[in-house]
Amino acid sequence: MKRTRSSEASLSMETKPESEYDVFLIFRGSDMRLNFTDFLYRSMVHVGIRVFLDSEELEDGEQISEVLKAVNESRICIPIFSQNFASSSWCLYEVACMVECISKSDPKKEIIPIFYDVKANDVKLKTNLYKKAILKHKEKVGSDELERWESALVEIGGRIGLELLGKR
């Protein structure tokens, strides 16, 4: 499924003109595409929030720089962590980019995690759920990238967010 962008008008007077998006959503498509994420996206667009809704993979011919640009141009990044989030190398890559972009940029930018049927400890790699999933990527991406992903997960898992358990 292709990445989509809201063409709706912006709602906030606080939005800086250089911000193309108010919110950047990242999620594991197979877990979240047609339920919670779709509802959240439509609700935000309905009230005029400009949302970059990202799918889990790049389409042929698309550039990673497009996603990085969207992260940089968003005021708030919302990763929606789910049971299979860490099984996607693309989701892990985006989360690492999100952490790097936010830490290097405007301190007014925020990351607000949503833990959907997972706990913050799963994301912080204190349980086997994400640990096992990440290890499956080791041969494909190497140790350095794996460490980058792990560091990003631990950082975001330590942030205050919304925990939605038992929603499946």
Side-chain angles (χ1 to χ4, degrees):
M1 182 174 267
K2 187 166 174 33
R3 245 186 316 283
T4 59
R5 296 180 191 155
S6 166
S7 60
E8 303 295 320
S10 172
L11 78 88
S12 175
M13 287 186 219
E14 297 173 24
T15 301
K16 295 178 181 179
E18 67 269 11
S19 293
E20 186 171 342
Y21 304 102
D22 296 307
V23 175
F24 179 95
L25 289 178
I26 175 178
F27 61 98
R28 176 71 168 137
S30 60
D31 285 352
M32 306 298 300
R33 185 176 324 284
L34 298 176
N35 56 34
F36 177 77
T37 301
D38 188 53
F39 173 77
L40 180 62
Y41 171 76
R42 290 180 187 280
S43 297
M44 287 191 282
V45 168
H46 180 73
V47 297
I49 297 173
R50 296 170 300 161
V51 180
F52 185 94
L53 181 65
D54 187 34
S55 66
E56 64 198 12
E57 296 177 30
L58 284 174
E59 296 291 325
D60 289 341
E62 291 183 305
Q63 300 296 317
I64 292 171
S65 60
E66 182 181 341
V67 173
L68 297 178
K69 182 178 181 224
V71 169
N72 278 319
E73 293 177 352
S74 298
R75 293 179 54 222
I76 299 169
C77 293
I78 302 177
I80 303 171
F81 295 105
S82 59
Q83 293 284 317
N84 295 304
F85 186 94
S87 66
S88 167
S89 58
W90 180 243
C91 287
L92 294 169
Y93 176 80
E94 285 187 333
V95 163
C97 290
M98 184 183 296
V99 168
E100 290 167 4
C101 290
I102 298 295
S103 67
K104 293 177 184 175
S105 66
D106 188 341
K108 293 180 184 175
K109 290 188 176 193
E110 292 289 331
I111 297 174
I112 304 170
I114 296 176
F115 306 99
Y116 191 92
D117 263 348
V118 297
K119 294 184 177 187
N121 280 342
D122 296 323
V123 176
K124 290 189 283 186
L125 306 175
K126 292 187 176 186
T127 70
N128 284 330
L129 182 64
Y130 277 28
K131 272 187 193 177
K132 286 182 178 179
I134 284 181
L135 287 178
K136 292 178 182 178
H137 300 291
K138 189 172 186 171
E139 287 182 27
K140 182 179 174 185
V141 299
S143 300
D144 290 343
E145 187 69 5
L146 216 59
E147 286 176 27
R148 184 172 161 254
W149 293 350
E150 290 171 344
S151 175
L153 287 171
V154 169
E155 180 175 333
I156 293 176
R159 291 176 180 253
I160 295 173
L162 179 61
E163 198 169 87
L164 302 171
L165 297 175
K167 300 299 178 188
R168 289 209 158 227

